[in-house]
Amino acid sequence: MKLSICTISFRHHLYSIDQLAHFAKTQGFQGIELWGAHAKNLADEPHYGADWLRSYDLETSMLSDYLPLEAPIAEMMAETERLSSLATHWGTKKIRTFVGKKGSADTSKEERHELISRLRILCDYLESKGQDLLVETHPNTLTDNLPSTMQLLEETNHPSLRVNFDVLHIWESEINPIFALKQLHPHISHFHFKNIASRAQLDVFSPSNVYAAAGSREGMVPLFEGAVDYDEFLAAARSISEVDASLEWFGPNVKSVLVKDAQEVKRALQLVRN
């Protein structure tokens, strides 16, 4: 299992992409998950890209953004084409997005049908570029629970539609992540790993809070110190160990937490192999 850092973890820091690549390499990571905002802002400096990252023995594991599925078709496609071009430049075939702006229970049949139609359009385009669209399991989207995610995959029925399996958010939906893993296994192309001290504190990950520089970080804990049992999950995930994972940390002490979490993930995977 290749591990990546997320550049979004450093969104409120004054680190350059050079410093992040150096950190990732020296700490034994294999990749960088590049936040769409960062990729767009680096576009004016084209020497940064796949070849540059390979000089650090790193790869771009995924380009993570938020495609405007509800926008007019022309606007949606223009943004998709832009992200596709950036993904090519950075040498990744994986583009991550959310599906919709409200939960599956609050989405009407008509709205769901339109979102599925949009997904097919995007997948057709990305397939022509040799790329995949990864929908993230996330609250307040159409993939906020396992049944709706399975339904979405069936309804879209496209080989370029894949899943970014966020373990915490699956657990948040009150589904056992290992059960969900077994159901979604054929469709998973990436994992997000993060944890929380208790279910009562899950609101700390709401976008309005987690993206705010002054937002609360209470309840965010290192990967193996929270409510989700990652030793158990990683033991179950050994059958698909070829899937990459990103350590998604939004709290303080970013570097030290990421280093410790990466060491613990490697330890857990080594125990599984033994």
Side-chain angles (χ1 to χ4, degrees):
M1 180 180 287
K2 296 180 181 179
L3 289 180
S4 294
I5 63 169
C6 298
T7 65
I8 195 174
S9 295
F10 300 87
R11 68 208 175 284
H12 301 309
H13 298 70
L14 286 174
Y15 292 124
S16 68
I17 188 66
D18 305 81
Q19 290 172 307
L20 294 185
H22 177 76
F23 166 73
K25 178 182 180 179
T26 58
Q27 297 304 324
F29 288 91
Q30 290 80 43
I32 288 179
E33 179 183 321
L34 190 60
W35 195 26
H38 292 154
K40 293 168 189 174
N41 286 323
L42 286 167
D44 290 336
E45 301 185 64
H47 65 282
Y48 290 118
D51 291 339
W52 170 80
L53 202 54
R54 276 193 288 270
S55 72
Y56 288 88
D57 295 320
L58 297 169
E59 61 186 39
T60 308
S61 60
M62 186 160 67
L63 182 60
S64 290
D65 207 78
Y66 320 92
L67 290 170
L69 272 72
E70 297 88 350
I73 294 286
E75 179 182 334
M76 179 187 76
M77 290 310 302
E79 187 63 14
T80 302
E81 291 167 13
R82 181 185 186 192
L83 281 174
S84 174
S85 177
L86 287 170
T88 298
H89 179 71
W90 283 94
T92 181
K93 64 177 289 186
K94 295 186 288 188
I95 296 175
R96 192 271 343 238
T97 193
F98 294 168
V99 182
K101 294 181 178 180
K102 55 186 178 181
S104 56
D106 298 318
T107 303
S108 70
K109 289 183 179 180
E110 292 76 17
E111 290 170 328
R112 185 180 187 101
H113 177 78
E114 181 62 23
L115 285 169
I116 297 299
S117 176
R118 296 297 187 92
L119 285 175
R120 289 199 195 101
I121 294 171
L122 298 186
C123 287
D124 280 344
Y125 177 80
L126 293 176
E127 184 180 38
S128 73
K129 302 297 181 179
Q131 296 166 338
D132 291 330
L133 182 65
L134 277 64
V135 292
E136 181 164 327
T137 54
H138 199 280
N140 299 311
T141 71
L142 209 55
T143 52
D144 59 358
N145 61 60
L146 180 60
S148 184
T149 303
M150 295 293 291
Q151 182 182 344
L152 178 144
L153 291 165
E154 182 179 350
E155 290 171 331
T156 309
N157 189 27
H158 201 291
S160 287
L161 185 67
R162 308 291 296 169
V163 172
N164 180 45
F165 188 106
D166 189 299
V167 180
L168 177 79
H169 291 319
I170 289 287
W171 176 85
E172 180 177 357
S173 72
E174 301 189 349
I175 291 289
N176 185 314
I178 296 174
F179 175 78
L181 175 72
K182 292 176 181 176
Q183 301 299 308
L184 291 171
H185 177 181
H187 308 282
I188 299 170
S189 287
H190 205 89
F191 290 118
H192 269 177
F193 293 164
K194 58 179 175 284
N195 217 333
I196 193 75
S198 73
R199 189 173 288 276
Q201 296 169 302
L202 282 165
D203 283 349
V204 75
F205 287 118
S206 64
S208 60
N209 177 75
V210 81
Y211 294 140
S216 171
R217 303 296 179 251
E218 188 173 352
M220 296 181 184
V221 293
L223 204 59
F224 291 81
E225 298 177 17
V228 180
D229 188 336
Y230 272 93
D231 278 302
E232 182 182 53
F233 181 80
L234 288 170
R238 65 186 183 274
S239 62
I240 49 172
S241 58
E242 73 277 5
V243 176
D244 296 343
S246 297
L247 303 184
E248 198 178 30
W249 175 250
F250 294 105
N253 306 314
V254 181
K255 287 186 174 181
S256 60
V257 171
L258 289 175
V259 170
K260 181 183 177 184
D261 280 353
Q263 291 171 344
E264 290 295 298
V265 169
K266 292 172 185 176
R267 171 196 60 77
L269 291 173
Q270 186 64 41
L271 288 174
V272 169
R273 284 194 292 270
N274 293 336

